[in-house]
Amino acid sequence: MQKKGIAILGSTGSIGTQALEVIEVYPEKFNLEVITANYNADLLIKQAIKHKPNMVVIADEAQYQKVNDALWDHDIKVFAGADALAQVCETQEVDTVLTALVGYAGLKPTLTAIRAGKNIALANKETLVVAGEIVTKEAAERGVNIYPVDSEHSAIFQCLVGEFHNPIEKIYLTASGGPFRGWKREQLIDVKKEQALKHPNWEMGAKITIDSASLMNKGLEVIEAKWLFNLRPDQIDVIVHPQSIVHSIVQFEDGSMKAQMGLPDMKLPIQFALTYPDRFKTDFPRFNFMDYPNLTFEQPDRETFNNLNLAFQAMEMGGNAACALNAANEITVASFLKDEISFLDIARINEKTMLETTAVKVPTYEDYVASDAEARRLALEFIQK
Ligand code: NDP
């Protein structure tokens, strides 16, 4: 494998910091070209001094001077702002862009990177949820690969290696069920963000942790899978697997099922997205069957956790519906994290917003931008009512 130039968008987050850990083990395989943060200038500076990328971007322009002053004698170029975040992806030395920022903000830099012919290691699922049709079409037109980082989608991808010519009959995305697995609506009325932020198996950023508790994360993943693997909604099923050992399953047309397994550790899917088709030796802890004598599976409770239904509904509605659902969810989760709405309000307002956002059947990029803005405005209105 030739040395790969890597850009990590969102290096200060949960995926971003783990990606840096992966990359630093293989200095002969990777050149770190770009790292970026939104507000966390202190960590970005620390990372830059330690990992020596060629460029850093701080999205918050007010902190440009601070980052620039700290790095002036380190031979690292410093940029600021959302446009710079997209532009650095075009740099010639970058081969693969790891999109590890959170939410809709990932769409523009991902499209810019694809248009510049860069392969994508995609953690930022919201990009495919919002504009999957445009993103996958543009990637296919330019021969750009999108390698999944999400553990479930990486699992499906790993099961498909050597099988790309064999049609998929169905996939099963596994879900841990989150901290409220087995809970009913009456128990969820008063839950606090501290409870929702306690994921049983994964340490992740705040937004995805709340999404996991509300099953919105699994809904977003269903839509992500549709675009990544070109599936119809009826080919995608969700199964709750509380131990998070089976990361997902593919069923082929002969009835055979392949699953990918391992201890829950995001470093593995991050690494595979950067090294595919190779597998590099790691010292990650190995799975021991005797530690898990019972792997269990159960149906998700779609009645209590309506967000999962909303994702399937968005796929049926098509057009900009998933974009509206995603925008609503970014607003409701932020609002829940500020104690402004209850946990059950998240799905309620998400649904109302998705249904009331002006429908666009075949959206352009500009339509998605407008729908995102409209849905955010509506969701805020519903929160204030
Ligand atoms: P975090 O919140 O931990 O990190 C997000 C990163 O993106 C930070 O570097 C943050 O900067 C930056 N960022 C956030 N908003 C913006 C913005 N508007 N503009 C520019 N940069 C921004 O998130 P995670 O790492 O948990 O998740 C990242 C993505 O990966 C999400 O889409 C998530 O769904 C997906 N994912 C995450 C998994 C996980 O285990 N964490 C598993 C599978 C998928 P700053 O630090 O300055 O705020």
Side-chain angles (χ1 to χ4, degrees):
M1 178 181 141
Q2 276 191 331
K3 241 179 159 184
K4 267 188 196 167
I6 307 290
I8 304 178
L9 306 185
S11 63
T12 50
S14 160
I15 293 288
T17 48
Q18 293 179 84
L20 285 173
E21 287 175 38
V22 165
I23 286 175
E24 75 176 335
V25 178
Y26 307 102
E28 71 293 359
K29 307 280 190 191
F30 299 116
N31 278 332
L32 184 64
E33 296 293 335
V34 179
I35 57 174
T36 79
N38 196 17
Y39 293 111
N40 195 344
D42 291 335
L43 182 54
L44 184 68
I45 292 165
K46 260 195 212 154
Q47 291 180 333
I49 292 171
K50 179 168 181 207
H51 296 279
K52 302 183 179 35
N54 283 323
M55 291 179 256
V56 304
V57 182
I58 179 87
D60 175 22
E61 297 186 33
Q63 300 201 69
Y64 168 77
Q65 206 56 51
K66 175 176 177 175
V67 179
N68 199 39
D69 288 352
L71 299 179
W72 74 271
D73 62 347
H74 288 270
D75 196 21
I76 296 171
K77 296 183 202 78
V78 179
F79 302 96
D83 287 343
L85 197 99
Q87 282 157 8
V88 288
C89 299
E90 298 174 311
T91 315
Q92 204 185 344
E93 288 71 27
V94 171
D95 299 303
T96 299
V97 176
L98 171 62
T99 62
L101 32 71
V102 70
Y104 171 85
L107 176 59
K108 192 172 167 192
T110 308
L111 272 176
T112 307
I114 290 172
R115 287 172 184 160
K118 313 298 182 188
N119 285 327
I120 306 293
L122 185 118
N124 176 248
K125 65 192 84 183
E126 294 91 341
T127 284
L128 284 184
V129 172
V130 170
E133 190 156 21
I134 292 180
V135 172
T136 50
K137 185 164 166 276
E138 294 221 9
E141 280 168 5
R142 287 169 178 78
V144 159
N145 295 313
I146 302 179
Y147 299 115
V149 167
D150 229 334
S151 60
E152 294 79 357
H153 304 72
S154 174
I156 302 288
F157 183 63
Q158 292 181 57
C159 292
L160 290 176
V161 173
E163 304 270 12
F164 291 118
H165 61 293
N166 284 323
I168 297 171
E169 187 169 81
K170 188 171 183 173
I171 65 168
Y172 292 89
L173 295 178
T174 52
S176 71
F180 305 135
R181 180 173 66 88
W183 292 35
K184 293 290 166 206
R185 287 185 72 81
E186 9 353 315
Q187 296 168 281
L188 291 170
I189 290 170
D190 292 322
V191 295
K192 296 280 167 266
K193 66 178 179 213
E194 290 75 16
Q195 294 166 279
L197 282 169
K198 277 202 186 106
H199 195 280
N201 302 340
W202 299 95
E203 287 257 338
M204 308 180 285
K207 194 240 173 200
I208 184 176
T209 308
I210 301 301
D211 286 346
S212 298
S214 73
L215 284 205
M216 188 73 256
N217 182 50
K218 211 46 57 180
L220 300 178
E221 286 180 8
V222 166
I223 302 173
E224 180 186 10
K226 166 192 155 74
W227 292 114
L228 277 175
F229 305 114
N230 194 18
L231 299 171
R232 297 184 312 274
D234 63 284
Q235 290 176 290
I236 309 171
D237 212 339
V238 172
I239 192 91
V240 173
H241 167 48
Q243 298 82 20
S244 296
I245 296 298
V246 176
H247 298 309
S248 279
I249 302 151
V250 181
Q251 182 175 307
F252 293 95
E253 287 188 321
D254 60 358
S256 173
M257 296 168 97
K258 273 179 152 181
Q260 190 265 337
M261 297 171 60
L263 291 172
D265 183 347
M266 281 310 295
K267 288 210 280 295
L268 198 143
I270 292 169
Q271 176 166 313
F272 192 63
L274 298 179
T275 66
Y276 171 84
D278 299 322
R279 289 186 185 274
F280 292 178
K281 194 172 171 55
T282 73
D283 59 2
F284 304 155
R286 280 8 184 195
F287 175 74
N288 178 354
F289 278 93
M290 294 314 111
D291 293 339
Y292 294 87
N294 297 307
L295 295 182
T296 60
F297 301 90
E298 58 197 62
Q299 284 298 331
D301 178 354
R302 290 169 183 243
E303 209 176 298
T304 306
F305 299 93
N306 190 37
N307 274 330
L308 185 55
N309 287 334
L310 294 182
F312 278 95
Q313 197 180 339
M315 288 191 295
E316 261 170 46
M317 290 164 69
N320 62 341
C323 170
L325 177 61
N326 177 70
N329 187 60
E330 289 191 23
I331 294 292
T332 52
V333 169
S335 191
F336 174 69
L337 285 170
K338 286 189 255 166
D339 298 317
E340 292 168 355
I341 58 170
S342 75
F343 185 74
L344 291 175
D345 283 338
I346 295 176
R348 183 181 64 76
I349 295 171
N350 287 353
E351 178 170 23
K352 208 165 149 53
T353 305
M354 178 174 81
L355 297 178
E356 295 202 14
T357 301
T358 312
V360 183
K361 271 285 147 232
V362 188
T364 60
Y365 176 77
E366 289 69 30
D367 291 327
Y368 283 124
V369 174
S371 300
D372 176 80
E374 182 189 351
R376 282 170 197 269
R377 187 174 43 71
L378 282 172
L380 279 172
E381 270 174 37
F382 299 141
I383 285 169
Q384 280 146 18
K385 270 183 194 163

